[in-house]
């Protein structure tokens, strides 16, 4: 006999991603006594830990009597053992939902209300649809500067924070994204830290793009460091190139990003809070923001870039950070590779000063590294750019990059994709334009970034003369299904490569 | 051997509510070949039918090899047989999601874009978080009149439509809700149809309230009619009191309402489109809208009511409907009962002219019936109110109500709640106010409306003298857990009954 209200835990082996789901039998006494039905939100207590989960009702074939099933994420979050006794009850009312409703109806929230929402999301009290509603209510420029500042602070406070004793100035750089292949961070961090700057770089996985820096670095070395490992790497080498996940810097951001990704939504206010909360939590106070602008980049024009920069400067001022936003050319893809593997190849080529290094990626990385060096030294942009060049061309950057990778667990070999296919031109002329958004889509349909080997390698750049049958790009995938799926998209979107005569 | 890309269907017996979920083994060839991972959106083809579902990955203990599991709703939607061969592939890009994104960013949508969204939702192409995002983007007054009109039309066109040959004028009434116990419809429909008006009333289940008319009528007769049954009942009796579900009038609305309910969101524009789409699809063209206004009702003040009325009049004009909005007193709960059972008791008492009939419910129903009769005859409000009184007091309304119930399948006995408990006063004085919102919350925590017997019966009305220990209300529930849960809420919210001395 088990105590009333208690059930034995059962690891059902169902992967629902981050959403916590529990499974109870329809003939279960507790279901009947408590009035639980499908989609009821339950609070589950297991020892000291508890979480809120969505209930799915199952027939008796799925579970033994007196057992409650758990999805993988719920099982791991509660650190359950098979058969362990747990208690299930109706979830308490989540107080911050009234603040969410206030925001939906267009009212500004104060810091206390925003804290409440972020705190409750971090405690897994929000369902996926509630997080989706919060993100939607904040999108489209609906967050004030004060709200974004409060959001940033709340996200910092729900996670770990790093401090660097004896270091007044700690640097970082971030690209707002939207430009496939713009993988400058590994190069910039190598140059800047070779010059003596402390730069503890953590990166998110991609939100809506085919690869984030963390996805690319994952191909080259261990990126899922613990907080202690990260501190050790930075203390040893002055820098790191780690993923944000395990270190628990602004971890609520990761819960939001999961839903943003599913909604393909990446709004201004959330973006600023997401970027700055990670940097503040990492102990950085001097931050360079790269803003590529182009007709098919995330920022379409200078006006949008200025608006976003204003938000960055406003929040930075409130948080006593030094931020420098630089606008860069987002007209076309940087480098030749799109997707984790292919972008890693470009990064290595630049760092090794290889003959086939993409010159645009080299120049972009040097420009950004120069900006960081000048933020540090106060020297002119020209002098700082020259310093960056010397560090790269002398091989110091490559040596420093290897030191960082060694400290993180060693440099890895890139694993080749098992399937590939050429995308060929059907017409003749000059390559006038490429559509960044659809190139990114193509790489994602091939499986990037969750398949590291998936993506594409461009065989041409804007301005090239094209003849029918010429390969425009090579497509890589982990499975024939994904390869076929991406090829099908290309067939329907050939005009993403605009080939013609210059007007 | 099964054909490549095909799997056998397996009814897993997991109730995920309306969200379609499929389950595949992590070691399944198709998963690997196609690159499916947890939460991938898949399109499942089964014979002529197909739907989009969210994938959960399961371990080999859950499913036999070469099988794909289905949640209950997905299983029923596809009308599957055990072992039937189905095909799974990556879901195609849902085109209307770009319109959703446009709306999130604050732009007005045209009719084509709104049609696309509603059409795709009706075809089950949207995930729950996408529907949540759409509802949030439309809430807070963010829909223009043109958008609400387009939304109404789109919702009408995705479902069945009724026509009443030979009838120029077909009536209906609707209450915008927010006032617990305001169960006038069964009484008003009985009076109006006794007077000869055709009034094919279908009602939703409750969205955010403890009972909708459909929930209350479900206690008294069969409400889940098919379209053919509904037509027969209306042809025979001039009216019906059916649930909207099975008849497929504006069925997309039901998909939206499920998420609105989970988000506890009920926005103006959606409300107007929801109400009018149901009426237009039912073939009605003369519609009375009851708008209770009070500090704790859904409409807090006359300004809000006027705004909403303006939307109703605007959309009605575009759709060539005659709408009359009337503002009624929403200061306190109508009748004594809150929740399906208890509201049904009040309705019967009024129709039977019982001595214990709540006078406020009687008066409210007579007022609304009078308004409908005057919309029909053009007579003065006073004369029409007198006509309504005669129909009720003569017993004609009760006879007509029984005819409607008989046509729908017979009048049922109310089933008593197995658990109840008195909520008693702890202080002395006059009952100054009741908080409608928290009374509704209390009834919902007790299990209403999904438990028909759950709810409360008020023992006092505003103005009554109260002594400590006096019962203020009786709480009903189907389970001890729900009863305890609601009692706990009451303990923390005793001030929902405001007892004191009149200032």
């Amino acid at each position: 006999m088990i105590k009333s209200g208690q059930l034995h835990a059962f690891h059902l082996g169902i992967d629902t991603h981050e959403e916590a789901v529990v499974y109870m039998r329809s003939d279960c006494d507790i279901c009947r006594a408590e009035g639980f039905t499908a989609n009821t939100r339950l609070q589950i207590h297991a020892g000291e830990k508890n979480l809120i989960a969505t209930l799915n009702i199952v027939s008796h074939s799925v579970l033994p009597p007196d057992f409650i099933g758990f999805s993988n994420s719920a099982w791991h979050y509660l650190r359950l053992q098979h058969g362990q006794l747990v208690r299930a009850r109706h979830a308490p009312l989540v107080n911050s939902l009234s603040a969410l409703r206030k925001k939906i109806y267009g009212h500004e929230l104060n810091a206390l209300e925003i804290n409440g929402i972020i705190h409750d999301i971090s405690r897994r009290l929000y369902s996926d649809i509630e997080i989706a509603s919060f993100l939607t209510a904040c999108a489209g420029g609906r967050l004030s500067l004060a709200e974004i500042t409060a959001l940033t602070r709340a996200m910092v406070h729900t996670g770990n924070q790093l401090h660097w004793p004896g270091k007044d100035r700690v640097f970082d750089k971030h690209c707002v994204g939207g430009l496939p292949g713009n993988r400058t961070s590994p190069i910039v961090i190598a140059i800047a830290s070779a010059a003596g700057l402390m730069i503890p770089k953590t990166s998110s996985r991609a939100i809506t793009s085919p690869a984030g820096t963390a996805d690319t670095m994952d191909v080259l070395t261990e990126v899922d460091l613990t907080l202690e490992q990260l501190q050790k790497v930075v203390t040893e080498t002055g820098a790191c190139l780690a993923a944000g996940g395990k270190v628990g810097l602004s971890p609520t951001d990761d819960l939001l990003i999961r839903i943003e990704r599913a909604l393909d939504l990446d709004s201004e206010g959330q973006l600023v809070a997401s970027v700055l909360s990670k940097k503040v939590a990492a102990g950085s106070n001097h931050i360079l923001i790269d803003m590529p602008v182009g007709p098919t980049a995330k920022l379409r024009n200078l006006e949008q870039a200025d608006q976003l920069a204003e938000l960055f400067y406003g929040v930075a001022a409130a948080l006593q950070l030094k931020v420098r936003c630089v606008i860069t050319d987002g007209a076309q893809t940087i480098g030749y590779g799109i997707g984790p593997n292919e972008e890693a190849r470009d990064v290595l080529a630049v760092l090794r000063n290889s003959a086939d290094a993409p010159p645009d990626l080299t120049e972009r990385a040097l420009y950004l590294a120069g900006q960081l060096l000048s933020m540090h030294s106060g020297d002119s942009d020209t002098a700082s750019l020259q310093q960056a060049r010397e560090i790269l061309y002398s091989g110091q950057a490559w040596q420093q990059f290897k030191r960082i990778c060694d400290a993180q667990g060693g440099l890895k070999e890139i694993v080749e994709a098992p399937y590939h296919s050429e995308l060929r031109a059907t017409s003749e002329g000059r390559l006038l334009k490429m559509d960044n958004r659809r190139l990114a889509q193509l790489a994602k349909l091939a499986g990037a970034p969750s398949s590291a080997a998936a993506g594409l390698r461009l065989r041409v750049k804007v301005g090239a003369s094209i003849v029918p049958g010429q390969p425009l790009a090579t497509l890589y995938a982990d499975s024939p299904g994904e390869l076929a799926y991406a090829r099908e998209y290309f067939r329907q979107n050939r005009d993403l490569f605009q080939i013609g005569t210059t007007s």
Side-chain angles (χ1 to χ4, degrees), chain A:
Chain A
M1 254 325 262
I2 57 171
K3 223 174 98 193
S4 132
Q6 295 198 324
L7 290 165
H8 295 289
F10 193 100
H11 189 185
L12 265 182
I14 297 183
D15 182 358
T16 58
H17 224 284
E18 286 287 336
E19 164 123 76
V21 179
V22 294
Y23 304 82
M24 288 169 77
R25 285 165 61 127
S26 53
D27 60 358
C28 157
D29 283 344
I30 297 178
C31 266
R32 282 216 301 270
E34 298 282 337
F36 299 158
T37 57
N39 283 16
T40 299
R41 298 280 289 162
L42 297 182
Q43 187 167 40
I44 309 292
H45 291 266
E48 296 286 283
K49 302 203 70 135
N50 74 81
L51 100 170
I52 307 273
T54 298
L55 176 65
N56 282 188
I57 298 286
V58 299
S59 64
H60 59 275
S61 61
V62 180
L63 272 178
D66 293 329
F67 273 81
I68 176 170
F70 288 85
S71 66
N72 292 352
S73 61
W75 183 266
H76 294 127
Y77 183 81
L78 291 174
R79 300 192 186 145
L80 291 166
Q81 302 290 327
H82 180 79
Q84 181 180 342
L85 282 174
V86 302
R87 289 183 73 86
R89 62 183 201 103
H90 281 281
L93 293 178
V94 176
N95 285 326
S96 69
L97 287 176
S98 64
L100 167 54
R101 213 146 16 246
K102 195 172 152 190
K103 186 71 213 165
I104 293 173
Y105 284 95
H107 304 289
E108 185 166 355
L109 300 184
N110 62 38
L112 215 65
E113 291 165 325
I114 287 177
N115 262 327
I117 291 174
I118 294 302
H119 188 67
D120 286 345
I121 291 175
S122 76
R123 288 167 61 213
R124 316 279 172 129
L125 300 186
Y126 274 48
S127 66
D128 282 0
I129 61 167
E130 285 160 348
I131 295 177
S133 180
F134 173 64
L135 292 170
T136 304
C138 294
R142 293 202 185 87
L143 287 179
S144 71
L145 205 58
E147 286 177 311
I148 303 170
T149 305
L151 190 61
T152 308
R153 281 210 180 93
M155 282 172 25
V156 170
H157 292 146
T158 53
N160 293 324
Q161 279 182 262
L162 285 169
H163 302 281
W164 305 102
K167 280 278 177 187
D168 289 349
R169 298 188 299 163
V170 179
F171 290 78
D172 210 337
K173 66 81 64 179
H174 187 90
C175 173
V176 300
L179 193 60
N182 190 20
R183 200 53 54 222
T184 57
S185 285
I187 306 163
V188 173
I189 270 66
I191 296 173
S193 59
L197 278 66
M198 175 172 267
I199 188 158
K201 171 81 178 152
T202 68
S203 315
S204 300
R205 305 269 171 184
I207 301 181
T208 56
S209 74
T213 296
D215 301 300
T216 303
M217 283 305 301
D218 201 8
V219 170
L220 297 172
T221 187
E222 185 56 54
V223 293
D224 290 313
L225 308 183
T226 63
L227 202 65
E228 293 67 37
Q229 289 170 329
L230 183 148
Q231 270 178 307
K232 191 160 168 286
V233 171
V234 175
T235 307
E236 266 176 49
T237 68
C240 68
L241 282 154
K246 252 196 191 166
V247 290
L249 303 175
S250 186
T252 315
D253 186 45
D254 303 335
L255 298 173
L256 299 179
I257 280 176
R258 182 175 57 92
I259 304 295
E260 285 183 306
R261 193 190 306 221
L263 289 174
D264 207 359
L265 196 69
D266 193 8
S267 79
E268 279 193 347
Q270 287 289 343
L271 189 149
V272 170
S274 167
V275 171
L276 293 183
S277 67
K278 294 277 187 200
K279 306 309 179 202
V280 171
S284 298
N285 47 30
H286 285 63
I287 301 149
L288 178 68
I289 308 283
D290 176 16
M291 296 185 161
V293 173
T296 59
K298 184 181 288 169
L299 296 168
R300 309 278 184 110
N301 51 50
L302 287 176
E303 206 185 319
Q304 284 186 350
D306 284 344
Q307 268 175 22
L308 185 59
E310 212 170 293
L311 291 182
F312 268 114
Y313 288 127
V315 177
L319 298 174
Q320 295 178 291
L321 306 171
K322 272 228 176 330
V323 160
R324 185 187 286 190
C325 294
V326 292
I327 287 167
T328 54
D329 177 12
Q332 72 169 321
T333 298
I334 302 288
Y336 305 121
I338 303 174
N341 258 13
E342 297 310 310
E343 296 182 25
R345 288 185 210 282
D346 283 351
V347 164
L348 290 187
V350 172
L351 283 167
R352 286 168 168 160
N353 296 304
S354 305
D356 62 347
D360 53 355
L361 179 62
T362 308
E363 284 311 308
R364 182 64 54 94
L366 284 170
Y367 170 73
L368 294 172
Q371 289 291 319
L372 266 178
L373 296 181
S374 100
M375 277 178 89
H376 177 246
S377 63
D379 289 350
S380 73
D381 287 3
T382 323
S384 301
L385 178 59
Q386 188 50 36
Q387 188 192 354
R389 260 186 225 289
E390 282 163 17
I391 293 171
L392 179 66
Y393 294 149
S394 67
Q396 287 174 70
W398 172 231
Q399 294 307 322
Q400 170 64 6
F401 184 79
K402 284 193 291 185
R403 278 182 66 208
I404 297 169
C405 289
D406 282 343
Q408 292 191 189
L411 195 63
K412 296 194 285 193
E413 286 292 315
I414 297 175
V415 181
E416 302 289 331
Y419 299 94
H420 72 271
S421 169
E422 299 297 332
L423 304 180
R424 293 176 193 278
T426 48
S427 58
E428 184 164 350
R430 196 167 290 279
L431 179 58
L432 301 175
K433 257 192 213 172
M434 287 188 275
D435 182 330
N436 292 331
R437 277 164 196 272
R438 286 188 285 168
L439 278 173
Q441 188 67 42
L442 190 59
K444 289 195 289 178
L445 295 178
S450 57
S451 302
L456 27 113
R457 174 149 293 269
L458 295 170
R459 300 299 179 187
V460 290
K461 297 289 273 186
V462 167
S465 288
I466 309 289
V467 294
Q470 179 177 342
L472 299 169
T474 310
L475 195 61
Y476 298 94
D478 260 353
S479 72
E482 286 166 312
L483 196 71
Y485 193 46
R487 279 202 66 90
E488 176 59 30
Y489 181 79
F490 176 67
R491 252 195 299 277
Q492 286 169 16
N493 288 275
R494 292 196 159 273
D495 62 325
L496 67 83
F497 291 99
Q498 207 178 303
I499 297 164
T501 48
T502 327
S503 60

